[in-house]
Amino acid sequence: MMGMVLIMISVQMFMNGLAGYGVKQNRNSTMLWLLHGNLGSPADWKPVMDALRSNGIESRALNLWKYLECCPKSLPEMGRVLCSEIAAQDKHPHICGYSLGGRLAMHAVLAHPPLWKGAAFVSANPGLENEAEQAARRAADAEWAVKCLSAPWEDFLREWDAQGIFRGEEGRDRSLLKPWRRSISRAFIDWSVGAQADLAPSLKQSPVPQLWIAGERDSKFTALARRAAGDKAAIIPHAGHRIPLEAPEKLAECLQQLITATYE
């Protein structure tokens, strides 16, 4: 049935590798595709999806870990995969990615600009500017990759959440992610920001409408958003890095404005 809400996910469906969840698309409406962050899942988007749905906006959240099950996949390659997969279901989509998902969204936008009606990058880094920074980040992420596979899962999550960028933010239950730890470990290598080119110049030249979003308490990503978009950056008051979980309604308002401005 068109418009039927698909918000319930069973544990077994998630563990079997559900690609994503959301709502079926009405041919006369626009679809927003959502990409979660590192150590995240499609369920992280549910509060945002609920807020969007109340305003008539359909969305679908993808499970990014599924794409690394079979083999390594570089950031540019993953961008092309997203374009191909989404284009098969949606002729003129919008895309929104948070953190790691934001960087993947950037690659998708650059891979095939004519596909996209608009893009939102939430707490996302367009890339490091010099090779020394990139090398240091690749080394750090390689250590996280090893810990992800070798350390007790809860110990690994506690160490991840103890990073300064997440300070003061509540953790969440990520027990369902444990079966995906091999893909998550792979992502630390394949999708490291250290393995990413500096996309800022290319994004500035892109014809795709972009919205850069950051939390007021997240000084690093607020600066990145303002560097990319100037005074058009959306800075969400009182929010930190994990905006989809901390301020879902405010984030939904920003996304609704992007879609309204770009939808014909």
Side-chain angles (χ1 to χ4, degrees):
M1 181 181 298
M2 298 300 293
M4 180 178 181
V5 179
L6 304 178
I7 59 172
M8 298 302 293
I9 309 176
S10 70
V11 172
Q12 190 61 47
M13 286 175 70
F14 186 91
M15 294 181 68
N16 284 346
L18 183 65
Y21 72 105
V23 298
K24 293 183 179 178
Q25 186 178 15
N26 185 306
R27 75 182 74 182
N28 297 316
S29 66
T30 186
M31 175 73 81
L32 175 63
W33 296 80
L34 302 166
L35 311 181
H36 61 73
N38 206 353
L39 274 295
S41 75
D44 295 346
W45 286 108
K46 186 180 181 301
V48 178
M49 294 169 72
D50 289 344
L52 290 168
R53 189 180 305 114
S54 68
N55 287 295
I57 296 174
E58 301 178 346
S59 57
R60 184 178 180 189
L62 298 180
N63 175 13
L64 298 174
W65 310 127
K66 183 177 177 64
Y67 297 96
L68 290 175
E69 276 189 301
C70 67
C71 49
K73 199 173 269 86
S74 70
L75 287 160
E77 184 180 1
M78 185 60 191
R80 293 189 292 270
V81 168
L82 288 168
C83 287
S84 177
E85 191 165 298
I86 292 173
Q89 305 174 63
D90 193 346
K91 297 301 182 184
H92 297 290
H94 290 79
I95 192 168
C96 171
Y98 157 70
S99 198
L100 166 63
R103 295 191 292 107
L104 292 173
M106 293 175 200
H107 283 84
V109 164
L110 293 174
H112 187 41
L115 173 64
W116 304 103
K117 293 285 290 183
F121 310 128
V122 183
S123 303
N125 191 338
L128 304 175
E129 296 180 348
N130 63 68
E131 292 184 3
E133 288 181 306
Q134 292 170 346
R137 183 57 183 265
R138 288 195 301 271
D141 282 343
E143 293 182 8
W144 281 114
V146 171
K147 292 176 183 178
C148 181
L149 283 180
S150 61
W153 183 244
E154 293 301 325
D155 291 349
F156 166 68
L157 292 178
R158 275 193 293 272
E159 185 175 356
W160 177 258
D161 287 337
Q163 295 180 94
I165 196 169
F166 303 131
R167 189 174 296 120
E169 300 176 9
E170 292 186 7
R172 60 200 187 283
D173 181 12
R174 285 170 291 193
S175 57
L176 292 181
L177 284 176
K178 189 173 182 180
W180 295 101
R181 65 193 302 177
R182 190 167 297 277
S183 291
I184 295 170
S185 176
R186 183 77 249 173
F188 277 109
I189 303 298
D190 290 3
W191 298 345
S192 168
V193 72
Q196 174 178 314
D198 180 9
L199 303 181
S202 297
L203 289 167
K204 283 186 179 294
Q205 298 299 317
S206 173
V208 178
Q210 300 167 32
L211 177 61
W212 291 76
I213 304 171
E216 182 183 43
R217 292 190 292 104
D218 185 359
S219 59
K220 174 182 176 179
F221 284 86
T222 292
L224 287 172
R226 287 182 169 145
R227 185 184 307 167
D231 59 7
K232 294 183 179 179
I235 309 302
I236 297 181
H238 313 301
H241 188 73
R242 290 171 169 158
I243 297 175
L245 296 172
E246 292 183 66
E249 293 183 354
K250 291 293 186 182
L251 177 54
E253 289 177 13
C254 293
L255 297 175
Q256 182 178 2
Q257 290 171 12
L258 171 68
I259 291 171
T260 300
T262 57
Y263 186 67
E264 298 175 356

